[in-house]
Amino acid sequence: MSQKPSLDQNTGAKAGINLQSMRAHAGEATAMLKLLGNEDRLMLLCQIALQERTVSELETLTGINQPTLSQQLGILRRKGLVSTRRDGKYIWYQLADERALKLMQVVYQLFCGSIAEMEKP
């Protein structure tokens, strides 16, 4: 028989769960999940999580038209999920948030295939 987790006498929460910490970070988690709630942004993050990409590569790989692509990349940049670097006339996009990478690995594993393809060297 498995034991039921014990409840904290003061808070009624399961032992080992820090509700104050959960509450403090719930807003961050909700904001991150809202960003992933847009199909175009999710597609972009899936590609950028695999490797650094240029806008033209992202357009080809995702099929997202340039105006929408630029708009969604701008949102991801402003929210700190992606960052850029310039190399000549190209702007390269990469994931800037380790939490986003971990989340994208789980999303990829659940919905897209092998997580080994997403692991960064």
Side-chain angles (χ1 to χ4, degrees):
M1 277 191 165
S2 63
Q3 285 185 304
K4 290 184 180 179
S6 61
L7 296 181
D8 183 287
Q9 297 299 320
N10 296 321
T11 65
K14 290 181 183 176
I17 296 176
N18 184 333
L19 289 178
Q20 286 181 322
S21 178
M22 284 178 67
R23 190 168 311 282
H25 296 289
E28 291 177 56
T30 302
M32 175 83 69
L33 293 171
K34 281 182 182 178
L35 286 170
L36 297 179
N38 175 282
E39 287 183 28
D40 290 336
R41 287 193 295 264
L42 185 60
M43 295 283 294
L44 292 169
L45 287 170
C46 279
Q47 289 300 321
I48 296 168
L50 290 170
Q51 70 182 57
E52 186 178 53
R53 303 279 190 189
T54 64
V55 172
S56 60
E57 288 176 327
L58 289 168
E59 186 175 19
T60 300
L61 290 166
T62 63
I64 300 170
N65 294 329
Q66 177 69 38
T68 302
L69 183 71
S70 293
Q71 179 185 30
Q72 298 306 329
L73 286 171
I75 290 169
L76 293 172
R77 263 181 76 184
R78 284 190 299 278
K79 297 297 183 178
L81 268 67
V82 299
S83 60
T84 60
R85 72 173 177 86
R86 181 177 285 280
D87 184 16
K89 64 178 184 171
Y90 297 101
I91 296 177
W92 293 86
Y93 286 83
Q94 63 269 332
L95 275 180
D97 188 315
E98 187 66 29
R99 297 169 306 172
L101 175 60
K102 289 178 183 179
L103 192 53
M104 292 310 301
Q105 287 172 335
V106 171
V107 168
Y108 193 88
Q109 183 180 24
L110 292 173
F111 297 101
C112 304
S114 171
I115 194 162
E117 296 174 28
M118 276 194 95
E119 290 181 352
K120 294 217 174 199

